[in-house]
């Protein structure tokens, strides 16, 4: 399989997006696809049971460094996705990425630039990026 880059993917989305070309359609499809990601993970937990959420208060010790605290923090996500659930979640993530790329096309923004700028921002801000 040949390696595809982000620009190729964005061009492919531009060629294939026909029915929902309006920015309003694409914005609502981004929201819908995000909800479907949430639903697919929920079904993996509640219907399949291959994974579970074990949530409790996050332990954070202000006396420790940020890196030391990172080992204490938990995702609350437990277990591996089964093959079926992984396929469903992967497909839903792909659809979301498709519509994100479509929004980039509509607004004349390169997805590669978005990724690069976000990477630079993360590099600059480090652990403070979403605080």
């Amino acid at each position: 399989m040949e390696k595809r880059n982000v620009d190729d993917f964005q061009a492919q989305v531009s060629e294939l997006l026909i029915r929902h070309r309006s920015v309003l359609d694409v914005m609502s499809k981004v929201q819908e696809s995000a909800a479907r990601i949430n639903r697919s993970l929920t079904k993996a937990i509640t219907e399949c049971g291959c994974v579970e959420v074990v949530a409790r208060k996050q332990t954070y010790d202000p006396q420790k460094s940020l890196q030391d605290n990172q080992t204490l923090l938990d995702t609350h996500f437990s277990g591996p996705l089964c093959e079926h659930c992984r396929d469903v979640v992967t497909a839903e993530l792909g659809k979301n990425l498709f519509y994100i790329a479509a929004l980039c096309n509509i607004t004349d923004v390169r997805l590669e630039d978005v990724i690069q700028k976000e990477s630079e921002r993360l590099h600059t801000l480090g652990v403070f990026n979403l605080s």
Side-chain angles (χ1 to χ4, degrees):
M1 183 174 165
E2 75 180 60
K3 183 178 178 185
R4 298 182 68 67
N5 68 33
V6 175
D7 287 332
D8 291 341
F9 177 74
Q10 190 170 349
Q12 184 180 23
V13 168
S14 181
E15 292 171 14
L16 297 176
L17 185 67
I18 297 167
R19 187 164 174 235
H20 301 286
R21 272 191 104 75
S22 164
V23 69
L24 297 174
D25 285 335
V26 174
M27 288 187 323
S28 67
K29 290 301 247 178
V30 168
Q31 290 290 336
E32 178 186 344
S33 63
R36 292 181 65 85
I37 292 168
N38 292 343
R39 182 67 182 138
S40 65
L41 284 170
T42 299
K43 288 175 81 171
I45 296 162
T46 61
E47 289 183 17
C48 177
C50 61
V51 293
E52 61 184 349
V53 173
V54 182
R56 62 183 77 72
K57 181 179 177 183
Q58 293 281 22
T59 305
Y60 184 84
D61 185 349
Q63 304 301 319
K64 292 186 177 183
S65 71
L66 291 172
Q67 287 178 328
D68 289 340
N69 271 298
Q70 191 173 27
T71 61
L72 300 174
L73 301 175
D74 191 4
T75 65
H76 299 141
F77 192 80
S78 179
L81 289 168
C82 70
E83 187 176 337
H84 170 74
C85 291
R86 178 174 296 282
D87 289 345
V88 173
V89 169
T90 300
E92 296 302 345
L93 287 167
K95 289 174 191 171
N96 188 259
L97 187 56
F98 176 92
Y99 288 111
I100 293 293
L103 268 181
C104 288
N105 288 336
I106 290 170
T107 58
D108 197 26
V109 172
R110 284 183 63 229
L111 182 56
E112 178 71 34
D113 293 343
V114 173
I115 293 168
Q116 180 63 37
K117 286 184 182 193
E118 183 63 11
S119 179
E120 290 168 5
R121 188 182 76 77
L122 293 173
H123 180 73
T124 300
L125 295 176
V127 295
F128 300 104
N129 73 77
L130 296 174
S131 312

